[in-house]
Amino acid sequence: MTHGKLPPEIESLIAEVMRSARLDFVQGREEVLDDLRVHFEDGLAAGESPEDLIARFGDPIAAGRRIAKTRPKAAAKRRGKTGRWWMSTGEWSGEARRAGRRLRRAPGFAAIVILTLGLGVGANTAIFTVLNAVLLQDLPYPLPERLVRVYESYPENPFGSEYLRAPTVSEIRTWDEVFESFGSLYTYREVGADLTDGDVPQRITIGRVSAGYFETMGVQPALGRGFLEEESFGPGEHVNSVLPIVPVAVLSHRLWVERFESDTEIIGRSLHLDGVPFEVVGVMPPRFNNPLGTPSDLWVPQDLRPGGWNGFGNSYLTGLARLRDGVSIEAAQERVRVLADAFTEEYPDARDAYPRLVPLQDDVVGATRRAMLWILAGAAGLVLLTACVNVANLLFARGLGQDRELALRSALGSGRARLVATILLENGILAGLGGLLGLALGWAGVEILVALSPAVLPTAMDVEVGAQVFVFALAVTGVALIAFGLAPALRLSRTAPAEVLRSGDRSATAGRMLKRLRDSLVVVQLAAAVVLVAGAALLTRSFDSLTEVPLGVDPEGVLTFEVHLPSARYADGESRHRFHEEFQARVSALGSVESVGATSWLPVSGRYHSWTLYYDPENPEGGNDEAWYPADVRIIAGDYFGTMGIALLQGADPTEVDLEAEPMVWVNQPLVDEILVGIDPIGIKIYAVGEYRRIMGVVEDVPHTARGETSAKTYVPHAQYADNRNWALIQTAKVRGDLAATRERIRDELRAMDPQLVLYRPKSFDTVLETVRAQDRFATVLMGSFAALALVLALVGTYGVLAGSVTGRKREIGIRMALGADARRVRGMVLGYAARLTLPGVLLGLSAAMVGSRWIESLLFGVDAADPVAFGGAVLTFIAVGLLSAWIPARRATRVDTVQTLTGE
């Protein structure tokens, strides 16, 4: 290396040091001289004067003798200011500038370390953000620990019903000794209406809640008021109307801003929902949302007066309560059981039901979602572990290249603590930059996670990178620096100056202990990566099994959408049936549409309308309480079976019969297998959906979940049941060609029939399937991404150690080849070393993966937690990683120039 001219007094000091050192190894003399000159050049560049540098350096003769006779313990005997581990601000500043210059001289090393650490920190920051929002942070309501969800249980069925009955709600709200407030929320199905104020009608979602709901959540409107007692529990009886007792509404902050331009005079104004005027009485504050169900654009009061739907036979309300201050959930549970017993004695129709209390936070998150997020957090931690191990090995390799500089500084009197501080300062710069990159990647990762699967995250949670996440990223970076930067720093600070300065081999400090440490780090890195790859393989196979579940439908080319008919303009069943019939005829006439149908609930969208039916051939008119069976109800219209590809196994299709002849019903095969065992079902009458109906056909089973869960189902024609209520039918159309183009033509037909109606949520049935599989896909994609990242890091780390080993053993390899070793034997030596790293890592990782698979079992479907294909694939993958990482170093080893290596030329 060439250097600039130093001041004469420094040149004289360097010459005196070299004379006193009396180094007889030529290369050693040159390198010591080079390091001495760099030492003073750095000091001058930092702004120090020659006089200060000379004074701080001390006696040159003594320094030369230390270089000549250095022993490890001599490093502790420092002179002057250099004997302290602490430094002044100016000294720290100078060290920082020198560290920066050293890193600029090695841009490739710095970039790899920063990127590796950034990826590890970024993955953990993104997952922690979601974990923090969903599991660690409290719900965004005042005193959320006092919020509980109320279920209805029975002595014979402790888990009972998810929903409450209206009389139960009316009773529970009086239990003031237990609850500070109580409210109910309708979550049985999403409720919406067409907001027709303005030029273009807009479909909005409505939250139907009881008086006391906002008080229970602890949030009051920012403008106006909430709902009054008489608006939910007023005089009179419920008459099956979807309209509230008093047509008033509370707006969400978002709707108020977007639709009404933040009008502060909005209170008292009217808006029209499905053509009915509602008075605006309040506006909620920003970010308020329902903890359960879908987000609401506005809220209206739920009619909870007795009568009609509000009897003991209809469970449809979600109960939420706020415990009184000082009342534990255990004490509350005991007390409500006593109060419920008294209630059922007074009202036998309550059927010995009693409330079951669940902390709202636990209910919102759910056990499966909780397990999934903790599993993914563990996976992200393993990614960080592999990244940090990689960084540690890189720092070791970097330190081996700096052994002469460290030896010189030790020989000149720098203590071990000062050397550690110097090394950590450089590592700290790398860690800081890696942490900043990780924070940026984590922020982007959060955006990707939310976009990837918003259905996985609870609606009440705000997932965003805040102060806690920033502190987490800094903490992770600091731990990574200390855990994986301190070890190399301490090891390298033990550099034996005499060994280094008297030797021409730069790997002299890499003793057996250091080699074993680096090898152990690679084994740990490989083991962590094996765990991730095995977990990703299990989830991938699980997701593949999920996509192969027979769904009993043909989703290809099926367009689904909703058209909601306002009761004010479509007041009776005849008008509603006539609309659907005419609309489906118009859609069927479009050239790109093969068939059209409709249903009250799409397949694989969960259970809905689980009612009961009666069948007893010996007591056909009733009287046998044992002859009532649960069955899900689906209302259908048009050619629904044909459009969805649901096979008709027996009987006639609904499009082939006279629906005015008599009450009819179609059933699925599980109903026949469970209830009509050994009987030809066609023509049999069963009591279903309010009256005796003749079975006209049997259709193929259609699961109600993507995992193939099934139940007995009855299908009732809308033409025969439209008077029951204003059914929100989901339209289905089998389309040839472009779905988007057909969607717009259907929208035109709807506008021609009724310009105030909205074509709502048009999407393909494939999109519906993607939504119900969202959580499984979310876990699979994330685990796969983490596994791929860990795999790459393991490959790079293994390659780095093998390549460093080949470089450090050039002389040995040269001697072996000079003595007759051929290329095959040399390659075998390198590949054998790779095997000694890979096999222990694979075995350790495989053992950990077998244990860890128990935690992931709850997320699997159709795959055993100890699946041999998944684990075998992981093993083969890492055998390939070991071979691939060893191949280039092995080839390089066989190309060692024997003469050049042995002569040092």
Side-chain angles (χ1 to χ4, degrees):
M1 178 183 292
T2 59
H3 298 274
K5 188 68 174 176
L6 293 170
E9 56 269 38
I10 292 180
E11 292 281 9
S12 176
L13 181 143
I14 291 175
E16 188 69 27
V17 172
M18 297 304 296
R19 280 194 298 271
S20 300
R22 297 179 180 178
L23 295 175
D24 54 2
F25 186 70
V26 175
Q27 186 177 351
R29 284 179 54 83
E30 292 176 352
E31 291 175 354
V32 170
L33 178 61
D34 182 65
D35 288 336
L36 281 168
R37 298 183 70 87
V38 168
H39 170 75
F40 286 106
E41 286 173 359
D42 285 346
L44 292 172
E48 299 183 63
S49 67
E51 293 77 14
D52 288 341
L53 289 172
I54 291 171
R56 193 172 64 191
F57 189 87
D59 184 359
I61 296 175
R65 289 173 180 171
R66 281 197 301 273
I67 292 174
K69 301 178 180 180
T70 299
R71 289 181 296 276
K73 64 180 182 180
K77 300 176 181 179
R78 304 188 57 199
R79 296 174 60 88
K81 295 181 182 180
T82 58
R84 301 173 315 207
W85 65 267
W86 63 87
M87 294 181 281
S88 66
T89 303
E91 289 174 314
W92 276 112
S93 178
E95 287 289 351
R97 285 194 295 271
R98 283 189 283 275
R101 284 198 297 273
R102 287 194 297 270
L103 292 175
R104 284 197 297 271
R105 293 173 192 157
F109 162 79
I112 292 175
V113 170
I114 292 169
L115 179 60
T116 300
L117 192 55
L119 289 171
V121 173
N124 279 265
T125 300
I127 286 296
F128 174 78
T129 303
V130 175
L131 196 72
N132 180 56
V134 177
L135 299 183
L136 305 182
Q137 277 190 349
D138 291 329
L139 289 171
Y141 310 107
L143 301 174
E145 69 279 2
R146 289 164 54 189
L147 288 171
V148 294
R149 180 171 179 180
V150 183
Y151 289 80
E152 209 165 35
S153 298
Y154 303 89
E156 69 278 6
N157 181 9
F159 293 100
S161 172
E162 178 180 356
Y163 300 104
L164 303 181
R165 297 166 292 176
T168 306
V169 168
S170 297
E171 172 65 18
I172 293 177
R173 60 189 291 270
T174 66
W175 295 349
D176 295 339
E177 60 187 284
V178 179
F179 302 127
E180 181 180 294
S181 59
F182 181 87
S184 66
L185 169 69
Y186 181 91
T187 61
Y188 192 71
R189 177 172 180 163
E190 181 181 288
V191 177
D194 294 343
L195 179 59
T196 53
D197 299 282
D199 297 332
V200 180
Q202 175 186 353
R203 188 71 185 176
I204 62 171
T205 56
I206 295 176
R208 293 196 336 219
V209 301
S210 71
Y213 169 72
F214 296 123
E215 290 79 4
T216 299
M217 303 315 299
V219 181
Q220 290 298 319
L223 295 176
R225 64 171 177 85
F227 299 131
L228 307 177
E229 290 293 308
E230 58 267 24
E231 291 170 344
S232 284
F233 304 95
E237 292 189 352
H238 183 81
V239 290
N240 283 347
S241 172
V242 296
L243 295 176
I245 302 172
V246 182
V248 293
V250 173
L251 306 182
S252 69
H253 189 271
R254 184 186 60 79
L255 184 67
W256 176 60
V257 171
E258 294 178 1
R259 184 78 180 195
F260 299 99
E261 300 177 343
S262 304
D263 182 6
T264 57
E265 304 296 324
I266 190 71
I267 305 301
R269 279 182 50 185
S270 290
L271 53 82
H272 290 78
L273 303 175
D274 285 342
V276 178
F278 279 71
E279 179 188 352
V280 177
V281 296
V283 176
M284 293 304 291
R287 305 174 77 87
F288 174 79
N289 218 328
N290 302 322
L292 301 166
T294 55
S296 298
D297 294 312
L298 59 78
W299 292 265
V300 300
Q302 177 79 41
D303 183 353
L304 291 174
R305 295 174 298 176
W309 292 346
N310 289 335
F312 280 107
N314 190 19
S315 299
Y316 72 101
L317 296 166
T318 295
L320 300 170
R322 179 174 291 274
L323 298 176
R324 281 207 168 277
D325 187 19
V327 177
S328 68
I329 191 169
E330 293 79 13
Q333 184 65 73
E334 291 181 10
R335 183 56 186 159
V336 299
R337 183 67 183 263
V338 174
L339 294 171
D341 288 342
F343 178 62
T344 55
E345 283 185 16
E346 183 177 356
Y347 297 96
D349 288 342
R351 294 178 298 163
D352 293 327
Y354 64 91
R356 179 169 60 92
L357 310 181
V358 177
L360 186 57
Q361 175 94 27
D362 294 346
D363 193 82
V364 168
V365 174
T368 302
R369 184 186 281 129
R370 183 185 300 275
M372 177 196 67
L373 290 177
W374 279 118
I375 289 168
L376 292 177
L382 289 177
V383 169
L384 182 62
L385 175 64
T386 59
C388 289
V389 168
N390 226 344
V391 168
N393 264 325
L394 287 169
L395 293 177
F396 273 127
R398 165 76 168 168
L400 293 177
Q402 294 178 308
D403 52 4
R404 291 188 176 281
E405 178 184 347
L406 294 172
L408 175 62
R409 296 187 67 170
S410 179
L412 295 178
S414 289
R416 183 182 175 194
R418 183 69 170 265
L419 292 178
V420 171
T422 301
I423 297 170
L424 281 181
L425 183 60
E426 182 176 310
N427 295 349
I429 294 173
L430 293 171
L433 294 174
L436 289 175
L437 176 62
L439 192 61
L441 292 176
W443 179 84
V446 169
E447 298 295 317
I448 293 172
L449 291 183
V450 173
L452 178 66
S453 190
V456 174
L457 307 176
T459 58
M461 308 299 188
D462 289 323
V463 181
E464 57 184 19
V465 179
Q468 288 177 300
V469 177
F470 180 74
V471 170
F472 171 82
L474 290 181
V476 168
T477 304
V479 169
L481 169 64
I482 293 172
F484 295 94
L486 187 60
L490 291 174
R491 179 63 188 86
L492 294 169
S493 69
R494 296 192 186 101
T495 303
E499 292 180 22
V500 178
L501 295 176
R502 295 178 183 276
S503 172
D505 187 358
R506 288 189 173 273
S507 65
T509 57
R512 292 181 179 178
M513 185 179 296
L514 180 57
K515 180 177 178 296
R516 283 197 296 268
L517 180 58
R518 294 191 68 194
D519 290 353
S520 299
L521 289 176
V522 172
V523 170
V524 171
Q525 185 180 44
L526 286 169
V530 168
V531 173
L532 286 176
V533 170
L538 283 171
L539 287 177
T540 300
R541 284 179 52 75
S542 173
F543 190 73
D544 287 343
S545 298
L546 186 66
T547 59
E548 294 173 1
V549 171
L551 299 179
V553 297
D554 178 13
E556 186 176 356
V558 175
L559 176 67
T560 71
F561 54 94
E562 300 174 37
V563 177
H564 297 268
L565 305 180
S567 297
R569 292 188 290 114
Y570 297 87
D572 53 63
E574 183 180 352
S575 63
R576 294 190 285 267
H577 168 61
R578 190 166 54 248
F579 169 85
H580 286 295
E581 201 169 43
E582 181 183 347
F583 178 60
Q584 290 179 359
R586 283 172 171 261
V587 174
S588 296
L590 299 176
S592 58
V593 175
E594 295 181 6
S595 59
V596 181
T599 181
S600 57
W601 202 246
L602 285 172
V604 303
S605 298
R607 297 200 68 175
Y608 183 64
H609 275 151
S610 183
W611 294 355
T612 56
L613 61 85
Y614 179 87
Y615 174 71
D616 183 356
E618 296 181 4
N619 300 282
E621 298 302 320
N624 182 4
D625 291 341
E626 302 297 323
W628 288 94
Y629 303 93
D632 292 352
V633 176
R634 301 289 183 266
I635 307 303
I636 60 173
D639 187 11
Y640 171 68
F641 293 143
T643 300
M644 294 301 299
I646 300 173
L648 180 69
L649 304 179
Q650 286 181 262
D653 190 271
T655 60
E656 300 172 349
V657 299
D658 181 6
L659 296 177
E660 297 181 1
E662 62 177 323
M664 304 174 184
V665 66
W666 279 255
V667 299
N668 68 346
Q669 188 63 47
L671 187 147
V672 175
D673 296 338
E674 295 169 15
I675 301 173
L676 307 177
V677 182
I679 301 173
D680 182 1
I682 304 302
I684 289 177
K685 282 190 174 185
I686 60 175
Y687 186 87
V689 195
E691 60 184 317
Y692 282 92
R693 297 176 177 275
R694 189 178 302 280
I695 297 177
M696 302 300 293
V698 179
V699 299
E700 186 178 5
D701 180 32
V702 178
H704 56 257
T705 70
R707 297 197 168 205
E709 297 176 28
T710 188
S711 62
K713 291 183 179 64
T714 58
Y715 297 88
V716 177
H718 180 258
Q720 296 185 349
Y721 207 57
D723 275 326
N724 174 263
R725 68 191 69 180
N726 189 352
W727 289 96
L729 297 184
I730 303 170
Q731 308 290 324
T732 59
K734 188 76 167 179
V735 177
R736 293 185 298 267
D738 187 1
L739 291 182
T742 301
R743 177 195 64 205
E744 294 309 310
R745 295 181 65 188
I746 293 174
R747 197 188 303 275
D748 292 340
E749 293 295 334
L750 179 63
R751 191 177 296 117
M753 284 187 64
D754 188 336
Q756 294 188 40
L757 296 180
V758 177
L759 189 76
Y760 189 49
R761 288 182 177 164
K763 53 189 172 184
S764 68
F765 191 71
D766 283 326
T767 302
V768 175
L769 290 178
E770 289 177 4
T771 301
V772 298
R773 292 168 176 164
Q775 181 164 295
D776 295 277
R777 182 185 299 102
F778 182 82
T780 302
V781 170
L782 251 65
M783 184 69 86
S785 300
F786 291 156
L789 182 55
L791 190 62
V792 171
L793 291 174
L795 178 62
V796 172
T798 307
Y799 168 78
V801 169
L802 293 174
S805 173
V806 169
T807 301
R809 298 176 68 181
K810 273 187 177 181
R811 188 175 183 83
E812 176 192 344
I813 292 171
I815 293 173
R816 286 174 177 265
M817 296 184 72
L819 295 176
D822 57 13
R824 182 177 60 83
R825 184 168 298 179
V826 172
R827 280 196 299 269
M829 179 181 68
V830 178
L831 292 174
Y833 181 31
R836 289 196 297 275
L837 294 178
T838 303
L839 292 180
V842 169
L843 292 176
L844 178 61
L846 196 59
S847 301
M850 293 289 286
V851 174
S853 64
R854 301 173 186 173
W855 297 96
I856 204 174
E857 191 170 8
S858 62
L859 302 182
L860 300 179
F861 173 77
V863 177
D864 188 75
D867 181 55
V869 175
F871 286 102
V875 170
L876 292 176
T877 297
F878 279 90
I879 291 175
V881 164
L883 292 174
L884 184 61
S885 60
W887 181 248
I888 295 177
R891 291 188 61 193
R892 186 180 298 167
T894 61
R895 297 176 181 177
V896 171
D897 189 319
T898 305
V899 175
Q900 183 179 4
T901 301
L902 296 179
T903 61
E905 296 178 359

